[in-house]
């Protein structure tokens, strides 16, 4: 049975028809305006209607970056899109205009985690933590083959665990959250600061960034490190150390079989993952007396959210 998964970004959506083996059989994209919620509704509905002309579909899953209600119909808050107590599923269903299509809203990290659990790097485990490390740090927790949603649907916001009291300000309104140290944004912040404060040592990185320290991007750091630049390697190692130390704390609480790491920074590969694994083992409670859960790269790339959202929509009972 086919289902549609929609990965909603700030300026575009990626939409795919997914079969029950997790394969995307057709994919399309639409541009959106993050400050205009109605434009997102319209783009989703337009893509779904178009795909339904060629595929029989009755389930649509929307992967949304935000806090999703426990009934998986509304986005209660999103930091980068104009959603506040927003009835996203209802609005999209109304625009599609078909009683036989049911829409489910899912947190985007939950969707990506479920995609990796069902069809990707976590398919052989029952207890898994997925970390999606991009602009922020999203996460999904799977325990005994079930997504951990919590009492109100807000579980697994691991990026907002406080790891540094009084630390860098976070978009959630607090300071010192994990995602302020273990994310692509953190990598860019530290790279630009190094370029300002140590321009001679950062000359290679500044050059890759076009000569402007303020324009350095995450991929620039990865490229510099891959080329052997010492500062780039150091910056990725620092990012990895924050990821690994956080995983060690999570292991004390959740005891997963595996940590799966995805998102944009995974392009750095072992330049980031090797320091993450080292820091994880260094900080792991009862080290030497317990199994060491591996930290592995996600397998599905940018398709994980589409595939996971579609699978979750297909598996959600609808009366």
């Amino acid at each position: 049975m086919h289902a549609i998964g929609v990965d909603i970004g700030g300026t575009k959506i990626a939409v795919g028809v997914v079969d029950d083996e997790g394969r995307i059989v057709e994919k399309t994209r639409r541009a959106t305006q993050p400050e205009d919620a109605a434009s997102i509704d319209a783009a989703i509905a337009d893509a779904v209607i178009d795909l339904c002309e060629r595929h029989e579909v009755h389930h649509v899953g929307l992967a949304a970056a935000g806090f999703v209600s426990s009934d998986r119909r509304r986005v209660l808050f999103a930091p980068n899109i104009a959603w506040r107590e927003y009835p996203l599923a209802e609005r999209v269903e109304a625009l599609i205009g078909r009683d036989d299509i049911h829409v489910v809203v899912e947190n985007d990290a939950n969707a990506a985690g479920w995609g990796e659990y069902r069809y990707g790097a976590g398919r052989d485990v029952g207890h898994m933590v997925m970390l999606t490390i991009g602009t922020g740090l999203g996460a999904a927790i799977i325990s005994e083959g079930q997504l951990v949603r919590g009492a109100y649907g807000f579980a697994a916001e691991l990026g907002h665990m406080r790891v540094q009291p009084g630390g860098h300000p976070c978009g959630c309104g607090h300071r010192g959250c994990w995602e302020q140290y273990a994310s692509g944004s953190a990598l860019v912040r530290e790279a630009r600061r190094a370029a300002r404060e140590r321009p001679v040592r950062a000359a290679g990185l500044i050059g890759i960034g076009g000569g402007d320290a303020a324009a350095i991007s995450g991929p620039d750091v990865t490229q510099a490190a891959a080329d052997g630049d010492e500062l780039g390697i150091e910056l990725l190692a620092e990012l990895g150390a924050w990821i690994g130390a956080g995983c060690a704390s999570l292991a004390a609480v959740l005891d997963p079989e595996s940590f799966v790491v995805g998102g944009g920074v995974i392009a750095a590969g072992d330049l980031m993952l090797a320091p993450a694994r080292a820091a994880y083992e260094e900080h792991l409670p009862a080290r030497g007396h317990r199994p060491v859960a591996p930290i592995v790269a996600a397998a599905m790339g940018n398709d994980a959210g589409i595939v996971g959202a579609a699978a979750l929509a297909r598996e959600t009972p609808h009366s």
Side-chain angles (χ1 to χ4, degrees):
M1 183 190 304
H2 289 165
I4 287 177
V6 183
D7 191 358
I8 305 172
T11 59
K12 64 181 181 301
I13 59 170
V15 188
V17 178
V18 183
D19 69 15
D20 57 7
E21 297 296 322
R23 294 181 294 251
I24 297 176
V25 298
E26 185 176 354
K27 187 159 66 171
T28 187
R29 294 179 180 269
R30 297 288 189 279
T32 62
Q33 298 174 320
E35 70 281 359
D36 180 6
S39 80
I40 298 173
D41 303 341
I44 295 168
D46 180 68
V48 170
I49 291 169
D50 175 45
L51 292 171
C52 285
E53 291 180 356
R54 294 177 295 283
H55 306 275
E56 183 178 356
V57 171
H58 300 286
H59 303 278
V60 176
L62 309 181
F67 292 82
V68 176
S69 62
S70 58
D71 64 1
R72 297 159 67 202
R73 299 283 290 168
R74 295 168 293 136
V75 183
L76 304 180
F77 172 80
N80 300 312
I81 295 177
W83 287 325
R84 302 294 185 271
E85 305 289 338
Y86 195 76
L88 180 60
E90 179 183 328
R91 297 286 176 85
V92 170
E93 285 174 347
L95 290 171
I96 294 172
R98 281 179 46 180
D99 293 338
D100 63 333
I101 291 183
H102 180 56
V103 175
V104 170
V105 184
E106 193 60 68
N107 172 270
D108 61 340
N110 274 350
W114 194 250
E116 289 288 345
Y117 168 69
R118 286 292 308 277
Y119 305 108
R123 62 186 177 275
D124 296 324
V125 303
H127 298 262
M128 182 191 100
V129 173
M130 169 83 177
L131 301 176
T132 57
I133 301 173
T135 303
L137 194 165
I141 300 169
I142 293 165
S143 180
E144 297 184 350
Q146 299 293 321
L147 270 172
V148 176
R149 301 180 186 278
Y152 307 106
F154 293 168
E157 287 292 339
L158 303 181
H160 297 293
M161 296 190 308
R162 204 77 59 85
V163 298
Q164 189 81 343
H168 292 295
C170 183
C172 74
H174 295 290
R175 285 180 172 270
C177 292
W178 191 21
E179 74 171 35
Q180 293 306 312
Y181 301 87
S183 66
S185 295
L187 177 66
V188 169
R189 181 193 66 228
E190 295 306 309
R192 292 176 179 177
R193 181 168 71 175
R196 291 192 306 270
E197 296 177 356
R198 294 176 283 169
V200 175
R201 187 159 188 253
L205 185 55
I206 294 170
I208 289 175
D212 182 1
I216 294 171
S217 68
D220 291 337
V221 179
T222 298
Q223 181 61 57
D227 291 343
D229 182 83
E230 289 186 3
L231 179 59
I233 292 169
E234 177 184 299
L235 289 165
L236 286 173
E238 181 180 358
L239 173 64
W242 277 108
I243 293 167
C247 286
S249 295
L250 292 174
V253 179
L254 300 171
D255 192 28
E257 291 174 74
S258 177
F259 292 93
V260 176
V261 181
V265 301
I266 202 63
D270 280 345
L271 288 165
M272 191 231 357
L273 288 174
R277 291 170 183 136
Y280 169 62
E281 293 197 35
E282 177 185 352
H283 294 283
L284 186 66
R287 181 178 59 170
H289 303 281
R290 63 182 294 169
V292 178
I295 298 176
V296 302
M300 303 187 70
N302 293 331
D303 289 338
I306 293 174
V307 172
L312 286 164
R314 185 190 295 114
E315 296 161 14
T316 299
H318 174 53
S319 56

